[in-house]
Amino acid sequence: MSEMRYKLHPLSAFLNFIKALKELIVPFIVIFGVNLFRDGGVSGMFNQGWQGMIPFLMGIVVVLFMLVAGIIKWKRFVYWFEDGELRIEYGLFVKKKRYIPFDRIQSLNYTEGIFHRLFGLVKVKVETAGSGKVGESEAVLTAINREDADRIASKMEEAKRGFHHHALNDAEAETAPVEIPEKQEARVFYRMTLKELMILATTSSGIGVVLSAVAVFLSQFSDLIPYEALYEEVMQFLRFGYLIAALVIFVVLAIAWVISVFLTIFANYQFTIQADEDNIYITRGLLEKKKISVPFKRVQGIKISQNPLREWFGYATVTVESAGGSLGDKEEKIRLFPLAKKSVMLPVLSELFPETEWEPKLTGAPKRSVRFFYRLDFFWMAPFIAAMSYFFYPYGLVSLLLVPVVMLLGIWQHRTVGYALTGRQLTMQFRGFSKHSFYLMKRRVQAIDITQSYFQRRKQLASIEATIKSGMMGASARINHMDTGDAERIMAWYEPSSRPLPEDEKSQPEYFSG
């Protein structure tokens, strides 16, 4: 028997229109830009009569079509609850239906944009364990009231506890209602301070994102950019001196850095971690407020990362490796702590995941393996240094400084790498330039690979890689040039054994159970 059918808020029609318009903004700029810069610009187009107005008329028709399409999408989108399922009916030209069992829903992620806040609405993304393509949700409710969002959440909780809601007729109304266990209220575990937010913003790598976004935007207009003229202008500019050129580059990078600082602040404003017995809730954002839920049973592993600067001051980033889940519209990892002092985050992690050993004693790589961490780099350095020294002599000899730098980095990596086996937990630590520590539970490890090169075999060394499910692609931790005895120990720990488990391991619950 079908229940009441619900519609999205009318704001959905406007948001559909804005989304379609945003996707076509670059083609619009290209089409109208080409026509504006030829045949005398706007006045030249008007002088051509109705033929010159064709691009503008086509643009108006397309915009009106997108507006009408947004309204139709809103009118045709309905959802309701029936037989323990969230049922959705939608479609612009072809009507489609989607039935999602409540017990399959893993989480509901909320987003409040500027327009949502004006009307007290939220955007809800329905995530299941098998959500379609990378970065796509099982279903998206563009704009609904908070009460309607809470209704979906309560239905989901009822289903997970084995209670399916049915509409009651007059006879059933006399029957005593079934009591549903009260859900534990989410408790606040952590709030990012203003100091931590500023340190995060000023030390993040967002400047690369800003520069790459500018590069992608400019690439859309590659046919319109006069590269030869620009090259001549740059050459003419360089004649003023390399100091001025360096100053201009510095100013550009400084502006990109300032933009990245503001973007990071906007994205992580009022970052808060809450949790109940089933989920971790992460809330963040200034202009666009987001709230995502991460079920404990989907957590596959935890990664703590520190770049050298943050490591020096005792700060770190914590990432949750979650099965089939991501943050945002892309395959973006879920950051449990964007940035926090290790002394602050470890007590919180110990409360959230009490079965995990966060500071185990690591077994490092043997001394004989230290050369393996840097000698392969000499294969690409040798020809580079030779070319620089020959063609740019004597200044090219400065490239010889790369040799001690690479050797010191290799020694640093050798001193960082290590592993620990504690009960059912595998901890792996390694370094590229930043230090990463992976915390993995045995049941969640998908595969462990041991590899040996000819040279490693001669020195009785091996590289070990552990893979877990994370997002749609998976994640892996790799420690290189360990003793073969360590590799065999990890493999023996991972292989299934017929022997009975010790009592201490039997009593150990796993927070990754599911």
Side-chain angles (χ1 to χ4, degrees):
M1 182 177 177
S2 175
E3 291 194 8
M4 179 188 299
R5 300 201 171 198
Y6 300 92
K7 293 188 67 65
L8 303 179
H9 191 275
L11 178 67
S12 297
F14 175 72
L15 295 177
N16 290 334
F17 168 66
I18 294 298
K19 181 180 178 182
L21 195 63
K22 185 171 66 174
E23 292 174 353
L24 289 177
I25 191 67
V26 171
F28 269 31
I29 293 176
V30 172
I31 293 172
F32 292 115
V34 170
N35 286 276
L36 286 174
F37 289 105
R38 72 178 187 184
D39 300 328
V42 178
S43 59
M45 294 178 64
F46 280 101
N47 292 334
Q48 295 178 24
W50 68 271
Q51 292 180 339
M53 296 295 297
I54 290 178
F56 285 100
L57 295 175
M58 290 179 60
I60 293 173
V61 170
V62 171
V63 169
L64 290 175
F65 174 79
M66 290 189 296
L67 179 59
V68 173
I71 296 173
I72 294 176
K73 284 182 179 179
W74 164 65
K75 293 288 288 183
R76 292 176 67 91
F77 193 107
V78 294
Y79 68 95
W80 68 98
F81 314 120
E82 185 176 348
D83 294 334
E85 295 177 328
L86 170 62
R87 299 190 174 186
I88 299 173
E89 188 177 281
Y90 63 101
L92 180 57
F93 298 110
V94 179
K95 184 177 289 187
K96 302 176 184 178
K97 293 183 178 181
R98 177 171 292 178
Y99 297 167
I100 308 171
F102 281 114
D103 54 9
R104 276 191 58 225
I105 298 177
Q106 297 284 355
S107 62
L108 300 174
N109 296 338
Y110 300 159
T111 302
E112 296 178 33
I114 297 176
F115 296 111
H116 290 88
R117 292 187 183 186
L118 291 175
F119 297 93
L121 307 173
V122 293
K123 175 181 178 181
V124 179
K125 291 186 177 182
V126 181
E127 303 283 354
T128 66
S131 293
K133 299 178 182 178
V134 174
E136 286 190 2
S137 303
E138 189 72 31
V140 179
L141 307 180
T142 312
I144 61 176
N145 294 319
R146 172 66 70 172
E147 294 78 9
D148 293 334
D150 292 339
R151 184 182 296 111
I152 298 174
S154 64
K155 294 284 185 180
M156 182 181 72
E157 293 301 329
E158 289 176 20
K160 289 185 183 297
R161 286 164 172 75
F163 297 97
H164 298 283
H165 180 80
H166 296 280
L168 297 176
N169 53 33
D170 294 336
E172 292 173 323
E174 299 174 2
T175 308
V178 180
E179 291 188 7
I180 298 173
E182 209 172 293
K183 185 175 173 63
Q184 175 189 339
E185 187 176 347
R187 180 164 66 92
V188 175
F189 282 80
Y190 168 80
R191 279 196 179 95
M192 178 176 281
T193 64
L194 181 60
K195 177 183 176 181
E196 290 171 334
L197 180 60
M198 294 306 299
I199 294 175
L200 171 66
T202 53
T203 61
S204 70
S205 57
I207 183 172
V209 177
V210 173
L211 294 176
S212 61
V214 172
V216 169
F217 181 77
L218 292 177
S219 68
Q220 304 295 323
F221 307 98
S222 57
D223 296 334
L224 303 177
I225 298 175
Y227 288 106
E228 293 183 3
L230 286 176
Y231 177 78
E232 293 296 331
E233 292 292 335
V234 170
M235 291 297 102
Q236 186 69 26
F237 175 73
L238 289 176
R239 293 192 184 115
F240 287 101
Y242 291 103
L243 181 60
I244 296 178
L247 181 62
V248 171
I249 293 173
F250 173 78
V251 170
V252 171
L253 292 176
I255 293 173
W257 175 78
V258 171
I259 294 174
S260 72
V261 167
F262 280 104
L263 292 177
T264 305
I265 292 174
F266 290 159
N268 295 281
Y269 183 74
Q270 290 186 339
F271 188 96
T272 306
I273 299 174
Q274 297 173 284
D276 54 28
E277 69 268 25
D278 297 321
N279 302 286
I280 301 172
Y281 303 97
I282 300 174
T283 308
R284 65 182 179 91
L286 179 60
L287 298 180
E288 184 180 60
K289 186 177 181 181
K290 295 183 178 181
K291 180 179 180 180
I292 67 165
S293 57
V294 184
F296 280 106
K297 66 181 181 180
R298 288 176 66 184
V299 176
Q300 307 294 298
I302 305 291
K303 181 175 73 171
I304 297 180
S305 302
Q306 295 175 287
N307 65 33
L309 182 62
R310 292 176 177 178
E311 184 181 0
W312 190 15
F313 290 100
Y315 287 89
T317 298
V318 179
T319 304
V320 174
E321 302 292 348
S322 177
S326 61
L327 178 60
D329 298 325
K330 300 178 181 178
E331 184 72 353
E332 181 185 346
K333 298 296 184 181
I334 299 171
R335 290 188 175 184
L336 186 59
F337 286 88
L339 185 74
K341 279 271 192 182
K342 288 195 72 175
S343 58
V344 173
M345 70 171 59
L346 288 180
V348 177
L349 289 173
S350 297
E351 273 199 272
L352 292 174
F353 308 105
E355 300 81 17
T356 303
E357 175 62 52
W358 294 105
E359 296 182 291
K361 185 178 180 180
L362 299 177
T363 300
K367 290 183 179 180
R368 65 180 183 276
S369 71
V370 65
R371 295 186 184 89
F372 285 81
F373 284 88
Y374 57 75
R375 70 181 188 180
L376 285 177
D377 294 326
F378 291 152
F379 284 101
W380 66 263
M381 277 199 306
F384 174 76
I385 292 174
M388 294 292 292
S389 301
Y390 179 78
F391 290 107
F392 299 97
Y393 182 85
Y395 303 106
L397 295 175
V398 176
S399 61
L400 289 170
L401 294 175
L402 284 173
V403 175
V405 170
V406 170
M407 289 184 65
L408 289 173
L409 178 60
I411 294 171
W412 198 18
Q413 292 171 338
H414 172 265
R415 292 184 176 180
T416 302
V417 71
Y419 79 97
L421 292 175
T422 52
R424 300 180 183 181
Q425 176 184 326
L426 169 62
T427 305
M428 304 177 77
Q429 182 173 283
F430 55 94
R431 179 188 298 278
F433 190 65
S434 298
K435 183 172 77 172
H436 304 283
S437 300
F438 263 90
Y439 300 86
L440 313 170
M441 284 295 177
K442 182 176 179 179
R443 281 190 59 191
R444 294 306 186 183
V445 177
Q446 300 289 314
I448 288 183
D449 297 317
I450 308 296
T451 57
Q452 270 186 315
S453 67
Y454 169 75
F455 298 103
Q456 284 180 317
R457 197 175 299 115
R458 288 181 59 187
K459 293 291 185 180
Q460 295 185 330
L461 301 173
S463 296
I464 309 156
E465 184 174 25
T467 303
I468 58 174
K469 185 178 181 182
S470 178
M472 298 295 175
M473 302 300 294
S476 61
R478 182 182 179 90
I479 50 177
N480 291 318
H481 316 308
M482 301 295 292
D483 189 278
T484 52
D486 296 322
E488 292 170 0
R489 193 173 296 111
I490 293 176
M491 186 60 76
W493 168 84
Y494 179 64
E495 288 176 349
S497 175
S498 57
R499 67 174 178 83
L501 287 174
E503 290 301 320
D504 60 338
E505 289 193 24
K506 284 183 179 179
S507 61
Q508 264 191 326
E510 291 192 30
Y511 63 82
F512 300 136
S513 63

